[in-house]
Amino acid sequence: MDAIQSEQWMQRLASIHPSGLRHEGKLLAHDHAALVYWSRQEFLDTIVPFLVDGIRAGDLVVHIAHDEPLAPVVDALADAGIDVASAAAQGRLMLLSAQQAFAPNGRFDLEAATAGIKAMIEAAQLDGARQVRFSVDISYVLSGTPGIEDFMVLDARANDDIFPSQPFICVCAYNAARGSNHMVEDMFLTHPLVFVRGIPMANPYYQPWAQISSRADYLQRWKARYSAVASGAAT
C-alpha cells in the first residue's frame, strides 16, 4: 500500500462511517486512535489540540516523540496558551523521546512497558489527575531497537487489558512519508479508531486482541517486520 492507496483507504473510511464521529469530533476516555500523517503540519494540527485539551482538563499529558522533534510541539503548545515549563514542573505534562519512554536501557521489554503504563495511570490518579492522555510517535517501531518487534503486541493487547478498564486515552501517530506500507496496515489492524482529516472515526479494519492473538501468522509477521535486523535493513 503506497501513499496514494493509504489516502484512498482514508477516503473510504470517511464514506463508510459518516456517523462514526466521537463526541464533538474529539476522543473520549478509553479511546485508542491511529493518526497516519503526511506532513508535520498535519501532525501538529491533530496532536497539539489533543494535548491542550488534556492539560486544560487536568489530565496527566504525555507526549512521546520520535520522527517529529519536540521543539515544534512545544512552540505550538505555547502558541495555544499553554505555559509548557509550568505544566512540566507541576507534573501535568511529560515530554519524552521514544527511547526514554520505551527503551531506557537500550531494549524494549513488552511486559515492563505494559506494567509501566499501568503504574503511571495509578500514580496519576493518586495525584488527582482525571486520566492519562498519551500521544505516541510509533514510527519508533521502525527504529531497530532490540525487542521492538513486540511493540505491536503491546499496542494490540492494550485494547483488552488497559483501555476498557483504565482512565487512559491515546493517539498513536505514524509518519506515512517514511513509505513503510506494512506499518500503515498494522496500525489500521490494531486501533479501534482512526483520524480521517483530523476527525476520529470508527475503524472497520480493526481487530480485537483476542482475534489477533489467535493467529500465529500475525505475531510471526510482526517479528519478521520489526525485529532489529528487519528494521535495520528497511530503514
Side-chain angles (χ1 to χ4, degrees), residues 60 116-129 132:
L60 169 60
I117 291 172
K118 292 180 177 179
M120 177 179 287
I121 295 169
E122 182 178 357
Q125 287 183 287
L126 291 175
D127 287 341
V132 174

Side-chain angles (χ1 to χ4, degrees), residues 39 119 163 175 205 231:
S39 70
F163 285 99
N175 179 9
Y205 305 104
S231 295

Side-chain angles (χ1 to χ4, degrees), residues 124-231:
Q125 287 183 287
L126 291 175
D127 287 341
R130 185 185 64 148
Q131 63 185 356
V132 174
R133 182 177 294 236
F134 250 47
S135 63
V136 183
D137 183 350
I138 65 169
S139 303
Y140 182 64
V141 177
L142 301 175
S143 66
T145 299
I148 201 64
E149 63 270 18
D150 289 331
F151 189 95
M152 297 308 296
V153 174
L154 169 67
D155 211 31
R157 194 174 68 179
N159 291 313
D160 276 12
D161 70 358
I162 294 179
F163 285 99
S165 60
Q166 301 294 328
F168 188 59
I169 179 172
C170 181
V171 177
C172 295
Y174 171 65
N175 179 9
R178 274 179 167 261
S180 182
N181 299 327
H182 57 254
M183 187 73 194
V184 178
E185 178 185 2
D186 289 332
M187 286 192 68
F188 275 81
L189 181 70
T190 57
H191 291 80
L193 302 171
V194 61
F195 277 90
V196 180
R197 292 178 174 79
I199 300 173
M201 305 188 75
N203 174 16
Y205 305 104
Y206 163 69
Q207 294 186 25
W209 171 243
Q211 186 172 344
I212 292 174
S213 61
S214 69
R215 293 187 53 176
D217 58 319
Y218 281 141
L219 306 182
Q220 291 169 357
R221 183 176 77 185
W222 289 343
K223 288 188 180 297
R225 286 177 170 179
Y226 305 119
S227 70
V229 173
S231 295

